[in-house]
Amino acid sequence: MNTRRDFLQKTGCLALAFHVPMELKSFARSPEAAGSAALEPNAFLRIAKDGTVTVWATRSEMGQGVRTSMAQAVADELGADWSRVQVQQASSAPRFGDLGITGGSQTTKTTFMAFRKVGATAREMLVEAAAARWKVPAKECVALNGQVKHEGSKRGAAFGELVEEAAKLTPPKEPTLRNIKGMGHSRRRLDGPDLVTGKAGFGTDVRLPGMLVASIERCPVFGGKVKSFDAAAALKVPGVKRVFQVTSGVAVLGEHTWAALAGRDALKVEWDEGPAAQASSAGITAQLAKRLETPGKSVRKEGKGAAGLQGAAKRLKAAYDFPFLAHATMEPMVATADVKADRCDIYAPMQAVGLWMPMLMAATGLKAEQIEVHIPLLGGGFGRRAMPDFLMDAVECSKQAGVPVKVQWSREDDMQHDFYRPATHHELEGGLDAKGNLAAWNHRFAGGSIAASLGFPWPPESTEVSGAGDLPYAIPDLEVEWAQSDVPVPLGFWRAVPASFNPFASECFFDELAHAAGKDPLAWRLELLKGEGKRKVGQESVDLGRLRRVLETVRDQSGWGTAKFRKGRGHGVAAHAYLDCDTYVAQVAEVEVKADGAIRVLRVICAVDCGYAVNPENVKAQMEGGILYGLSAALLGEITLEKGRVVQSSFKDYPVARMEHMPKVEVHIIPHADFVPPGGAGEPGLPPLAPAVGNAVFHATGKRLRSLPMTPEKVRQA
Amino acid sequence: MAVYTLSINGRSRAVEAPEDMPLLWVLRDLLGMTGTKFGCGMGVCGSCTLHLDGEPERACQVPVAHVGTRKVTTIEGLSEKGDHPVQKAWIQHDVAQCGYCQPGQIMQAACLLKKHPHPTDAQIDEGMGENLCRCGTYQRIRAAIHTAAKASAPAGPKKAGAK
């Protein structure tokens, strides 16, 4: 039923789906670069004669601060004067190489060293030029604050004065990187001034000469197709220019957005809704529960696995449930394309340029070098903009109309035609031995697979088990089992992916077992994380010391064990090692549960170990962001289906956290004496939030909530 | 279709538009002023907040025919050099993440500070409660509003400015 998957398969881009470049591929120098008036050692850096340093960011900016942090990686290594640094956005033009995917909190982890090398290359060229000019050894010269200096002869020259000579030199192949350690500098983001004056250019702000704006009527049921449509009334709406069918529905093209929207209101479409028209949330909930009546796939087994429960002195069982979630970026999906016979320009706020080029080639019939994807700012991403559907809308419309077309999604389109965070059902059982030690753990859960739903050539469980299969605690007999249960709902990557739900089940159930064993939940975590070095957890391994340290930090900073709470208030702890991006986070949430069941999160104490924090203030902002996005999911968000249709259509019925919901967030970044390679920050702040809140609600009220969102109604019924 | 003469950021602008066309699309699509953002089209997210005669309004909910002689101020016209106390405070606290909702947040905050020169946290919750952000910038918005309050009216009563 999934037409999007069919499309992905037909266009043959799936083979590339797992290709995430780990390094910058292109260190090619443009032919004009040698001998140019500026120093351009490669495609990512330009130092002009006036001293301006321009860095090209190769990952998309969606609020996570990569344009600033990528520029920092270059500038710090170069020894630039930060006030002279600016950033440009790399396009899909061949000189920038493969732009890959902006996602998985991978940008800093996978590009930091490469961007440092970009800076170091230019630094060595500038130093060499200065040394030659002054006839002194290069190793006696230093580059700092936009100048090369020679201490011995008290000489110095600004970078700008040196670029002409430096540009004539051959870039070093393996420049020496500076010896960095500890933490980077907190820099305000380079886009800040444009963002507060309305000058910043987002996807929806793109305007091309002769451009039409399209709005597309889509089948309300996933996988449904157009049976027939009547465009007569739509075409009478002033400003409406064209109406035609596209893969995703019927497009109404107008001179401006309002004409397209008004024309779409007048459009009549008959749909063939297809088999998904029967789907409902109640049906899917029952399907997932039923799925666990039969075995799934064991994704991790330690000791005797689930069989270890047999020997337990005390056993505890619980079921946890999660709903589908929409991303609800503030900027609804949008893209602009200008498809011509021999060239195609696309302006798309997207996260995965590198992934979808084969699809663009198939859709336009053009070669890669004839297609250029330009990346404006993204008005939020959170994984939604890794999907190509909105961009294909624009390509198809422009190709068919023969003019540039911007396809603007409405809020309703955006919410009802998302790639949703999967709904899942979990059954956990734990066993304590006679002394109250945690002896056995069995976590079984069912849900759809993002990988399978998108037709990615990955094992179906690969997108579903983080936060469950990598449980870090020492438990002699442990088993985690995932059961695939396909649903007629498009699934996609949603901030932290399976770690947006699994840790709520595992970290809350751990809390349940701690209370059953009469242990302090935080101390028990530390006890079961004892040991040196790394512990193998399934396919990955967790650094026990780093995970302990974030827990110890929130213990000490929150007054754990000594804090006093009045009636209805309490605190809870949770931790998650986000192993894909090598970042460790623990949080203590303090909550108040009101008489009507409403939960208010008062304060979140967050400790994060992301290795070398390139921009500590930005790491803090990302923790605040993960916490707030997680808070919407913990307390408010739920997408439901009736008759194959998403019920929710806007922020009216899909509430998200507001100013009043924002807790006081205190972030503590773990300092390192040495250089620890940087990890990610965009996602790791999210996973511990919901379980910390759930555990705090239990501490405050004695009520255990096992289903998200934790609404007042569920609190009252618990 | 009719021609409307609007006063926008101190300039008189004539536009030909259908009478029900929201001011949001008049600004964005007819006048090329894209600072005011589309977020929902139903007045529930605050991304398109601007000022009409100094009062905060959702541009997606104001048909162009209803603007009349009211003075329109958008994010582009809040200050000449981007140095309104709220804008400066936003930079100082590095509020923006993706930044999409921030023009609306800033326009709303500027009005809040006119009404409450030294707002309490409860007044901020109420005054900013209809402006949504998905990135999680609320804590910095709150801090920036307090900073802007101090910068705009430093002689204000201490009590009202207390956090």
Side-chain angles (χ1 to χ4, degrees):
Chain A
M1 81 91 211
N2 196 329
T3 56
R4 301 173 211 219
R5 174 166 65 187
D6 293 347
F7 192 55
L8 303 191
Q9 282 169 347
K10 271 181 216 149
T11 50
C13 64
L14 291 180
L16 284 185
F18 52 88
H19 174 71
V20 184
M22 298 300 287
E23 283 276 340
L24 291 175
K25 289 284 184 281
S26 170
F27 274 93
R29 218 175 171 201
S30 69
E32 315 85 66
S36 110
L39 174 58
E40 297 173 84
N42 51 54
F44 311 101
L45 173 63
R46 182 177 201 271
I47 306 171
K49 278 172 91 169
D50 68 358
T52 310
V53 173
T54 307
V55 176
W56 275 262
T58 57
R59 291 293 181 276
S60 306
E61 179 63 77
M62 49 188 172
Q64 80 285 43
V66 289
R67 279 163 59 87
T68 304
S69 60
M70 290 183 118
Q72 279 184 266
V74 176
D76 287 352
E77 198 56 53
L78 179 62
D81 169 0
W82 182 248
S83 69
R84 309 300 308 278
V85 176
Q86 55 184 32
V87 64
Q88 298 278 337
Q89 194 69 29
S91 73
S92 69
R95 67 181 180 283
F96 296 114
D98 187 343
L99 299 187
I101 297 168
T102 307
S105 305
Q106 293 294 309
T107 295
T108 303
K109 187 181 167 196
T110 60
T111 68
F112 184 62
M113 294 307 277
F115 269 76
R116 287 178 67 198
K117 196 172 157 188
V118 167
T121 301
R123 165 172 44 79
E124 291 196 355
M125 293 166 84
L126 290 164
V127 164
E128 197 184 328
R133 185 193 282 187
W134 301 329
K135 300 191 172 56
V136 297
K139 63 177 184 213
E140 289 177 10
C141 298
V142 292
L144 216 60
N145 296 325
Q147 295 202 324
V148 180
K149 284 185 175 166
H150 182 251
E151 196 59 39
S153 61
K154 302 270 180 236
R155 275 179 291 198
F159 285 176
E161 300 167 35
L162 295 165
V163 296
E164 224 165 322
E165 288 151 75
K168 290 176 189 143
L169 304 171
T170 307
K173 278 209 173 65
E174 290 301 331
T176 308
L177 300 181
R178 289 178 195 269
N179 184 18
I180 61 170
K181 53 187 178 180
M183 251 180 231
H185 309 285
S186 285
R187 305 281 193 199
R188 286 179 190 149
R189 61 184 60 207
L190 292 166
D191 293 314
D194 284 352
L195 289 170
V196 303
T197 51
K199 291 192 189 99
F202 291 87
T204 195
D205 300 333
V206 170
R207 292 156 57 84
L208 300 177
M211 177 184 89
L212 296 178
V213 181
S215 182
I216 297 177
E217 181 76 7
R218 295 170 168 79
C219 183
V221 176
F222 301 119
K225 291 185 166 48
V226 177
K227 199 187 279 176
S228 66
F229 69 95
D230 176 358
L235 285 164
K236 284 192 191 124
V237 172
V240 171
K241 294 293 179 190
R242 299 281 303 273
V243 178
F244 51 67
Q245 195 176 332
V246 290
T247 306
S248 58
V250 181
V252 178
L253 281 67
E255 287 174 343
H256 44 67
T257 318
W258 186 244
L261 290 170
R264 183 175 157 195
D265 274 348
L267 180 71
K268 292 186 189 72
V269 187
E270 260 202 89
W271 303 103
D272 173 3
E273 295 186 348
Q278 303 310 315
S280 71
S281 285
I284 290 170
T285 302
Q287 175 194 319
L288 297 179
K290 191 158 175 52
R291 178 66 184 85
L292 286 189
E293 290 172 11
T294 53
K297 182 173 182 176
S298 178
V299 294
R300 182 165 164 219
K301 188 174 177 184
E302 311 282 347
K304 296 194 285 285
L309 286 162
Q310 318 276 337
K314 186 175 182 183
R315 288 165 74 163
L316 200 69
K317 245 176 137 162
Y320 283 80
D321 288 282
F322 301 88
F324 295 109
L325 290 176
H327 296 81
T329 58
M330 288 312 299
E331 178 188 42
M333 294 303 105
V334 64
T336 304
D338 181 8
V339 185
K340 297 193 179 81
D342 56 355
R343 164 134 190 121
C344 171
D345 284 278
I346 295 166
Y347 304 82
M350 66 178 312
Q351 292 176 242
V353 190
L355 196 54
W356 306 119
M357 188 55 92
M359 191 187 244
L360 295 172
M361 290 160 65
T364 58
L366 297 172
K367 298 185 187 115
E369 59 270 27
Q370 294 172 301
I371 301 169
E372 186 166 359
V373 186
H374 311 265
I375 316 290
L377 294 175
L378 285 60
F382 315 120
R384 174 63 182 89
R385 287 185 154 102
M387 294 294 105
D389 53 337
F390 60 98
L391 145 101
M392 299 313 293
D393 283 345
V395 169
E396 262 193 82
C397 285
S398 173
K399 194 177 176 191
Q400 200 157 330
V403 294
V405 178
K406 170 160 75 184
V407 177
Q408 174 68 60
W409 290 39
S410 67
R411 173 57 57 194
E412 296 91 326
D413 296 337
D414 190 271
M415 201 156 279
Q416 302 196 316
H417 298 276
D418 201 341
F419 289 81
Y420 301 88
R421 197 284 301 273
T424 54
H425 172 69
H426 302 241
E427 292 176 7
L428 296 99
E429 189 167 7
L432 304 173
D433 68 14
K435 291 178 187 159
N437 297 312
L438 186 46
W441 174 281
N442 187 25
H443 182 172
R444 306 178 69 231
F445 64 113
S449 156
I450 298 166
S453 149
L454 294 170
F456 281 12
W458 303 339
E461 71 276 16
S462 62
T463 47
E464 310 308 322
V465 300
S466 289
D470 49 7
L471 194 78
Y473 308 114
I475 304 171
D477 297 320
L478 177 149
E479 190 152 1
V480 179
E481 184 185 324
W482 175 75
Q484 184 171 353
S485 185
D486 293 334
V487 292
V489 177
L491 304 178
F493 304 96
W494 191 97
R495 196 172 192 169
V497 203
S500 71
F501 53 86
N502 282 325
F504 182 74
S506 45
E507 284 286 282
C508 287
F509 189 62
F510 184 93
D511 206 74
E512 292 196 54
L513 288 164
H515 288 286
K519 309 266 192 185
D520 174 84
L522 203 159
W524 211 29
R525 280 176 171 81
L526 290 172
E527 191 185 319
L528 296 179
L529 292 170
K530 268 189 195 150
E532 294 298 313
K534 294 198 166 190
R535 172 178 294 160
K536 197 162 184 313
V537 289
Q539 305 294 316
E540 316 216 42
S541 55
V542 60
D543 187 312
L544 295 168
R546 292 178 73 183
L547 188 50
R548 280 200 307 270
R549 194 159 171 203
V550 289
L551 277 163
E552 289 159 358
T553 302
V554 295
R555 176 194 64 195
D556 299 344
Q557 297 292 337
S558 69
W560 188 270
T562 57
K564 296 270 183 285
F565 293 97
R566 64 176 191 238
K567 196 171 175 293
R569 289 193 176 189
H571 64 182
V573 66
H576 180 63
Y578 209 108
L579 300 174
D580 283 346
C581 72
D582 216 13
T583 290
Y584 297 75
V585 178
Q587 290 167 8
V588 167
E590 297 176 0
V591 306
E592 177 174 21
V593 182
K594 306 251 172 72
D596 64 356
I599 298 167
R600 186 178 157 87
V601 182
L602 305 168
R603 188 161 81 117
V604 177
I605 297 96
C606 172
V608 52
D609 178 353
C610 60
Y612 180 86
V614 177
N615 183 335
E617 197 57 33
N618 190 50
V619 170
K620 287 185 181 179
Q622 287 310 292
M623 292 302 117
E624 292 163 21
I627 285 165
L628 197 270
Y629 208 71
L631 191 62
S632 286
L635 302 183
L636 302 163
E638 179 165 21
I639 289 288
T640 55
L641 265 81
E642 289 303 334
K643 293 182 177 163
R645 293 154 164 81
V646 168
V647 173
Q648 294 72 22
S649 65
S650 78
F651 296 117
K652 286 180 188 167
D653 46 13
Y654 185 76
V656 300
R658 297 167 185 272
M659 178 63 84
E660 63 175 335
H661 294 108
M662 187 80 201
K664 188 172 188 299
V665 175
E666 300 169 17
V667 181
H668 304 276
I669 301 175
I670 304 296
H672 293 281
D674 296 321
F675 177 71
V676 175
E683 291 166 303
L686 186 145
L689 189 274
V693 170
N695 293 338
V697 169
F698 180 80
H699 185 235
T701 65
K703 293 180 176 194
R704 178 61 66 180
L705 296 176
R706 301 188 183 90
S707 137
L708 295 185
M710 293 180 267
T711 59
E713 197 185 3
K714 286 181 191 166
V715 173
R716 289 197 301 270
Q717 286 169 358
Chain B
M1 296 281 271
V3 175
Y4 299 90
T5 305
L6 306 174
S7 164
I8 303 172
N9 298 334
R11 277 181 65 195
S12 176
R13 306 286 299 260
V15 286
E16 192 180 4
E19 61 178 16
D20 61 347
M21 187 170 182
L23 180 56
L24 170 67
W25 299 114
V26 170
L27 291 167
R28 291 185 54 82
D29 286 1
L30 301 184
L31 298 172
M33 299 172 66
T34 55
T36 307
K37 299 297 187 234
F38 164 61
C40 70
M42 56 189 88
V44 297
C45 80
S47 293
C48 65
T49 304
L50 44 63
H51 301 170
L52 287 184
D53 278 348
E55 292 293 319
E57 293 284 349
R58 306 303 190 227
C60 73
Q61 296 300 298
V62 183
V64 62
H66 293 189
V67 178
T69 56
R70 287 183 287 177
K71 289 185 170 59
V72 180
T73 308
T74 70
I75 186 72
E76 291 95 338
L78 182 63
S79 64
E80 251 181 58
K81 295 175 182 163
D83 55 357
H84 184 281
V86 171
Q87 288 168 312
K88 282 163 76 173
W90 246 245
I91 299 265
Q92 186 189 326
H93 290 273
D94 220 0
V95 169
Q97 288 191 28
C98 90
Y100 192 80
C101 72
Q102 299 301 343
Q105 303 277 7
I106 289 167
M107 297 306 281
Q108 187 74 23
C111 284
L112 172 72
L113 286 169
K114 268 195 263 174
K115 200 170 156 195
H116 302 292
H118 293 275
T120 61
D121 279 345
Q123 286 167 335
I124 292 174
D125 282 350
E126 170 156 359
M128 303 301 293
E130 301 298 313
N131 285 72
L132 303 181
C133 163
R134 289 288 278 156
C135 293
T137 64
Y138 295 132
Q139 176 158 295
R140 286 164 196 261
I141 289 176
R142 188 188 301 283
I145 289 173
H146 287 306
T147 296
K150 284 187 198 120
S152 337
K158 262 187 187 162
K159 216 175 155 188
K163 286 190 186 176

